[in-house]
Amino acid sequence: MTNALSVLLDVDTGGDDALALLLAMASPALDVRGITCVAGNCALEQVVTNTLTILDALEAPPVPVAAGMDRPILEPGLPAPPLHGGDGMGDLRLPAPRRSRVHIHAVEFLRRTLADSAEPMTLICLAPLSNIAMLLRMYPRIGDKIERIYVMGGTFAAPGNTTPAAEFNVRYDPEAAAIVLHSGLPVTLYPLDPFMQVRFTKEEAEAMAGAKGAGARIAGGIALHYCRFFGMDFSLIGDAGTVATVIDPEGANWVRRPVHVDLSSGTSRGATVFDRRVMTDGFAREGEWTDVDVVTRVDAPRYRKLMAAALGAVEALAD
Ligand code: BDR
Ligand code: CA
C-alpha cells in the first residue's frame, strides 16, 4: 500500500512532454496507471513511438500506453510546430522502442481504467484535449471517477504562443478544450504564464546531457535541442511544470476565476479569456463561463530542483 496519487497522463510527446514523463515516472508521489497519446506536437503515430521510446530508455515498468485521437474534433489540425525537431522530440536518435502500445483506443482505455478504479483518479493532460473531450462526451458519468483534471493549456495574462491570443494545446482543438473546461469537473489549468517560468540554463543542460542516468541525459539533450532551435542560453521545462504542480502544489500560486474558450473563427479563436476583473457581480459576461483553478505563478527555483532531483542530476544545477 503506497500513498502515491493514481494518475493518468495524456500526452503529445513532444520534447517537453518527454520531460514531463521523465518527472512523472521518477516521482514516488505519483503512480502512473496509464498514458494516452493524442495528435498535437507531431502526428499520432510519432507521439506513440516517442512515448514508448522514453519509457524504454528509462527501463520503466510496463505502464500501458494507448493511442487515441489522430486529429481534433472539428478541424484538420495544425502543422507540427518545427521547434520540436523532425521526430517531435528533439531528434536525439534514441533506439527504436521495444515495448508496444495496448491495442485499445485511448478513449476506451481511459473509460475502462477509470471504471475499474476503486477510487477517483487524477488526469494530467499535457496536450490538445481531444481524447479527454471525447471521453466526457461518450461517457458523461465517468466524471464520477475523476478526482481532478490538470490541464497544460491556455494563457491567463500572458500572450499566446501559437497565435497572438491562443496557446497551442487549446488552439489545436478549441472545441475539445471548451468541453473539458466547461465540464463542471474540478479543473486546474497550468497556462503559459507559469509554463514560461521554469528553466534550465544551457550550461545546466550540458551538465545533464553528460550525466550518468538515462533520464538526465535525455532531459539534457532535449533542453540543448531547444537552446539550439531558439538560439537561447536557456530552455523551459514546459509541460513538466504541470506535473511538478501535481507533485508539489505548495510551489504554485493559483486563483479561481471564470474562463471562457473563444470558439469564434476570428483572430482570437482558441484564446482562454479569464474574467480578471475585481468586481464581476452584476457585470455583463456573454457566452459560456466556468470557474477553474488557474496557476498564475510558480516557485521556479523549487520546481527546477524538483525536476533535477527526479533526474538524479541536482549537481548539474548552478544554484
Ligand atoms: C504546449 O504545446 C506544446 O508545444 C507543448 O508540448 C505544450 O504542451 C505549450 O503551448
Ligand atoms: Ca504537450
Side-chain angles (χ1 to χ4, degrees):
M1 190 70 180
T2 97
N3 286 328
L5 185 71
S6 293
V7 299
L8 294 162
L9 297 180
D10 189 63
V11 295
D12 61 339
T13 324
D16 64 324
D17 299 76
L19 300 181
L21 287 170
L22 295 173
L23 175 57
M25 296 307 296
S27 174
L30 302 182
D31 176 15
V32 180
R33 303 273 295 279
I35 302 170
T36 50
C37 298
V38 65
N41 284 327
C42 45
L44 179 65
E45 277 310 303
Q46 187 70 55
V47 172
V48 175
T49 300
N50 291 346
T51 303
L52 297 171
T53 299
I54 292 293
L55 295 174
D56 261 6
L58 292 177
E59 298 180 23
V63 52
V65 173
M69 296 284 285
D70 64 359
R71 52 168 286 181
I73 289 175
L74 286 186
E75 293 184 304
L78 302 170
L83 67 146
H84 300 294
D87 69 354
M89 200 172 59
D91 295 317
L92 300 186
R93 297 173 185 273
L94 296 170
R98 297 176 302 281
R99 67 181 71 200
S100 308
R101 76 194 72 185
V102 293
H103 290 287
I104 172 175
H105 193 279
V107 173
E108 293 303 330
F109 171 79
L110 289 167
R111 183 200 61 78
R112 188 188 286 180
T113 308
L114 289 164
D116 288 350
S117 172
E119 301 297 331
M121 294 176 72
T122 296
L123 307 188
I124 306 178
C125 306
L126 308 174
L129 288 159
S130 325
N131 284 341
I132 311 304
M134 289 297 284
L135 173 77
L136 298 181
R137 277 290 190 262
M138 288 172 69
Y139 304 108
R141 289 173 58 192
I142 206 70
D144 294 346
K145 288 298 191 81
I146 298 175
E147 179 71 31
R148 178 166 285 270
I149 308 179
Y150 288 83
V151 173
M152 189 286 125
T155 72
F156 184 64
N161 59 358
T162 297
T163 70
E167 177 279 334
F168 179 79
N169 290 337
V170 178
R171 178 59 192 86
Y172 192 91
D173 195 342
E175 280 69 27
I179 289 169
V180 174
L181 297 187
H182 299 313
S183 65
L185 295 171
V187 169
T188 298
L189 202 70
Y190 185 89
L192 281 180
D193 313 57
F195 184 95
M196 303 301 291
Q197 264 192 274
V198 192
R199 310 163 166 197
F200 290 133
T201 65
K202 192 172 173 199
E203 287 71 32
E204 290 168 340
E206 277 161 357
M208 283 182 195
K212 266 227 235 84
R217 283 203 309 277
I218 293 170
I222 289 171
L224 287 176
H225 163 82
Y226 289 125
C227 288
R228 276 193 299 274
F229 182 86
F230 290 109
M232 309 277 260
D233 58 3
F234 68 87
S235 174
L236 306 174
I237 73 164
D239 285 342
T242 316
V243 176
T245 300
V246 181
I247 295 171
D248 180 17
E250 302 289 308
N253 280 68
W254 57 271
V255 293
R256 191 160 175 78
R257 285 283 184 280
V259 67
H260 169 81
V261 182
D262 191 314
L263 299 180
S264 71
S265 54
T267 50
S268 56
R269 180 166 170 76
T272 47
V273 182
F274 281 90
D275 195 340
R276 294 188 276 124
R277 295 173 296 181
V278 178
M279 291 173 61
T280 54
D281 284 355
F283 291 94
R285 210 155 56 196
E286 288 167 10
E288 195 170 12
W289 293 81
T290 305
D291 282 355
V292 299
D293 298 319
V294 53
V295 178
T296 53
R297 200 158 41 83
V298 294
D299 183 338
R302 180 167 168 149
Y303 282 2
R304 274 162 45 78
K305 281 201 189 96
L306 180 76
M307 182 79 202
L311 298 170
V314 177
E315 68 285 353
L317 297 186
D319 46 22

